[in-house]
Amino acid sequence: MAEQSRKQAIQTLLSTEQIHARVQALGAQITADYSASVEQGRELVVVPVLKGSFVFAADLVRGIDLPMTMEFLGVRSYGDETESSGVVQITHDLKRSVEGKDVLLVEDIVDTGLTMQYLLKNLATRNPASVKVASFLHKPARAKVEVPIDYLGFTIEDVFVVGYGLDHAQQHRNIPYLGVLENG
Ligand code: IMP
């Protein structure tokens, strides 16, 4: 019964097949772009931004055919339920230094851009060799600041999406496709 109502309430925006194909393509592109620096002995560190990017990151890293390490950043953005304020609290910090390393930040979605803007400024102070951004989604209609997205999964309209790691009130992260809450 609960399964039935969940399915009715969420409309598919991107299927698991569409997502898989795009994420594999991003992995191949990242592999090509970083192979020279990795061959020169530089460390590639993939940094998922928790919680929302955990599903995207898990698929993306399995599409990267290079030696690499992972570190995790947890963030909480202050604001109301639907709008981030740009004031970001780090709830889980990197456990190893990224100095001299190539950092690939992995986000679920760049919405206003405020969270990513904060993270890019924060990471720059840690002297990495480079910082690039992979984001599963981008909602340009809501952008308040421009942030560079080097590897983008999909651009979407101004709708609130759930699934593939993204939540509404902490629910729906486990849905394998990307959906729109019909009453959300
Ligand atoms: P920004 O600072 O406005 O770019 O916010 C980014 C964060 O807001 C993301 O990492 C998500 O956690 C959350 N977010 C923004 N839009 C959505 C959405 O449509 N569904 C679920 N979470 C969202």
Side-chain angles (χ1 to χ4, degrees):
M1 193 62 186
E3 179 74 2
Q4 185 78 4
S5 52
R6 175 172 76 77
K7 281 194 172 147
Q8 281 167 352
I10 296 171
Q11 228 178 24
T12 306
L13 189 64
L14 296 170
S15 70
T16 52
E17 292 77 16
Q18 280 174 291
I19 294 171
H20 181 77
R22 183 72 193 121
V23 174
Q24 288 313 299
L26 289 180
Q29 199 185 332
I30 291 165
T31 304
D33 291 354
Y34 284 94
S35 59
S37 58
V38 169
E39 254 168 50
Q40 286 161 18
R42 232 156 59 196
E43 183 175 332
L44 169 62
V45 190
V46 176
V47 179
V49 181
L50 301 173
K51 299 175 193 168
S53 76
F54 80 105
V55 177
F56 173 48
D59 284 345
L60 186 66
V61 295
R62 283 178 289 178
I64 301 175
D65 188 16
L66 289 172
M68 46 149 285
T69 61
M70 294 189 77
E71 286 294 320
F72 296 88
L73 262 183
V75 299
R76 180 185 300 142
S77 172
Y78 289 107
D80 61 31
E81 271 224 345
T82 54
E83 176 101 7
S84 82
S85 63
V87 182
V88 178
Q89 182 194 7
I90 293 195
T91 56
H92 176 96
D93 208 350
L94 307 176
K95 297 294 182 234
R96 292 170 64 236
S97 164
V98 291
E99 193 167 343
K101 300 174 186 173
D102 291 313
V103 173
L104 180 62
L105 272 175
V106 180
E107 253 292 22
D108 55 352
I109 183 165
V110 174
D111 186 31
T112 63
L114 293 168
T115 303
M116 187 50 75
Q117 183 185 52
Y118 172 86
L119 289 176
L120 287 170
K121 276 191 194 149
N122 182 296
L123 275 165
T125 65
R126 306 179 192 213
N127 301 317
S130 70
V131 181
K132 282 192 184 183
V133 174
S135 183
F136 174 52
L137 300 171
H138 182 34
K139 245 190 236 180
R142 304 235 320 154
K144 285 194 174 166
V145 290
E146 286 289 313
V147 291
I149 304 175
D150 303 280
Y151 304 100
L152 175 62
F154 299 91
T155 298
I156 60 166
E157 307 274 295
D158 186 7
V159 287
F160 196 84
V161 287
V162 295
Y164 200 65
L166 289 100
D167 75 304
H168 177 254
Q170 300 303 324
Q171 292 293 321
H172 311 303
R173 293 191 196 275
N174 58 321
I175 294 172
Y177 54 89
L178 189 76
V180 180
L181 280 180
E182 282 184 344
N183 54 358

